[in-house]
Every structure is written in C-alpha cells, then in structure tokens.
Amino acid sequence: MIKRLCIFAAGAAALVSAALATSCEKDETQEKYVYILDNDKNGIQEVSFNTAGGTQDFLMYSNYGSWKLVPTYEEDLEWLSYWPTEGVGDARFSAMVEKNTTAYQRHGTLNIVVDGLSVATIRFNQALSLIHISEPTRLGMIS
C-alpha cells in the first residue's frame, strides 16, 4: 500500500512539474499589434492641418519591439518633422507641420517601420495657401 502511494505521489509530482513548465514558457502565438491614438485616446490614421501648420501628439501601443518613424518620401521632411525618430515598444511622439505658403495642398505619410517593413502609417494633409490676386491696374503709356 505504501509502495502504491509513493508511485502515485511521484506520478502526481511529475504531472504538476510538467504543467508548471508549460505555463512558464513564453507565448510566441500572440499576434503583433500597433495602435496609434491621439491625446484623447481615439484611434488616428490621418491628420489634417490648415495652412498655418501645427503640432499633433500621438500615443503608440505596440508589441513589435524596436521601431523607426520614416516618411514615405524624403521631400516631406521639408515641411513635416517628428520626434523621437525611433524607440522600443509603447511610445509618445509628436509631428510638426510647417506653414504652407505654396499654392499646393501637401500630403505625406509617416511609416512606423519594424525590421525594414512598414507596420502602420499616419497620413498628413495640409491645405494650400490662398493666393490673393488684387484688382488689375491699367498701365498707362509713357511718352
């Protein structure tokens, strides 16, 4: 009877040990995610500015690890800037849009890049600067 009890206890201990070892392993099946929010914690994928430009703060929640912010086109850096340019996991970052003095609308995309791949984007739009045309004047002939 004591022998059976010892065998049962050894078997139970092995089963508990196996269960504990399994539950302590890292779960590699968790899906990767990136959530970009504004300061009011609303999801945000696009931001629009008037000609004056401005600043937009973002909250990012991510389990990707290291990331970088990269514009789709380098030319966008002439009017769109952001800080910090890289980080790890969850973060706060800001984007600044310069005043638009051109007669063209501006559009740009900022990519959240992990291991060389864009995993999320934020689109920036800015209104064109209105050009004021004054009343035409008649030029007189000079004699």
Side-chain angles (χ1 to χ4, degrees):
M1 174 85 159
I2 293 179
K3 187 176 181 180
R4 283 186 189 171
L5 188 56
C6 287
I7 292 173
F8 175 76
L15 185 60
V16 169
S17 177
L20 287 176
T22 301
S23 66
C24 292
E25 290 178 15
K26 186 176 180 182
D27 182 9
E28 297 292 337
T29 61
Q30 183 178 10
E31 257 187 70
K32 296 293 185 181
Y33 63 85
V34 174
Y35 300 111
I36 310 231
L37 310 173
D38 62 16
N39 280 336
D40 296 325
K41 300 209 174 161
N42 297 310
I44 190 166
Q45 295 177 335
E46 187 169 16
V47 183
S48 295
F49 292 88
N50 61 23
T51 58
T55 301
Q56 175 69 49
D57 296 321
F58 299 94
L59 300 169
M60 181 172 71
Y61 296 100
S62 171
N63 66 347
Y64 272 99
S66 296
W67 51 265
K68 290 182 180 184
L69 297 177
V70 179
T72 299
Y73 299 105
E74 286 291 320
E75 300 84 41
D76 292 342
L77 294 175
E78 295 172 10
W79 60 276
L80 175 63
S81 58
Y82 44 89
W83 185 88
T85 59
E86 58 187 63
V88 177
D90 299 343
R92 289 181 177 270
F93 62 92
S94 297
M96 286 76 54
V97 171
E98 298 291 328
K99 181 177 181 178
N100 188 359
T101 58
T102 71
Y104 304 99
Q105 292 180 341
R106 298 197 281 205
H107 305 281
T109 302
L110 193 56
N111 299 278
I112 291 84
V113 175
V114 175
D115 295 329
L117 298 173
S118 178
V119 296
T121 61
I122 305 169
R123 181 149 170 91
F124 293 85
N125 303 304
Q126 188 176 26
L128 59 93
S129 180
L130 297 177
I131 299 173
H132 300 285
I133 300 175
S134 60
E135 194 68 30
T137 58
R138 185 170 182 183
L139 296 175
M141 293 188 68
I142 300 174
S143 42

